[in-house]
Amino acid sequence: MAIRDRFSKKLNCPQCGNAGFAEASEIDDPKRKHPDFQVDQLPRGFGVQRASNHQESFMIKCECGRKFPFRSLAEAATERH
């Protein structure tokens, strides 16, 4: 069984300014064709528009209606308090 790499990303909606931290995970094995990317928890105001095995094509929807790929408007969560 492969180990899941877990990480946090900060989501920012450029349309309304909604922001928060998402918890995500994927399989940490470069030999796998699909990393089995999953968003385990989204901040309030965000939802899944279209799920995907890859961060680049996993689509998020903000409550204001703006849709965007998870990776495009997410930044690494450095210090969360």
Side-chain angles (χ1 to χ4, degrees), residues 1-70:
M1 184 170 161
I3 296 173
R4 292 195 71 79
D5 183 21
R6 299 186 186 282
F7 52 95
S8 296
K9 294 273 187 164
K10 185 175 182 185
L11 299 179
N12 292 300
C13 178
Q15 186 166 305
C16 71
N18 191 15
F21 289 93
E23 303 297 325
S25 63
E26 61 188 8
I27 293 177
D28 188 19
D29 184 355
K31 297 176 198 152
R32 286 183 58 108
K33 184 176 181 179
H34 300 291
D36 190 29
F37 174 77
Q38 294 177 3
V39 174
D40 303 314
Q41 183 177 3
L42 283 169
R44 188 167 28 139
F46 292 97
V48 175
Q49 174 68 26
R50 184 182 72 228
S52 173
N53 282 321
H54 300 278
Q55 288 187 50
E56 296 80 10
S57 52
F58 194 101
M59 297 294 289
I60 300 292
K61 182 176 182 180
C62 181
E63 64 187 356
C64 73
R66 176 75 183 244
K67 300 171 193 158
F68 53 90
F70 176 84

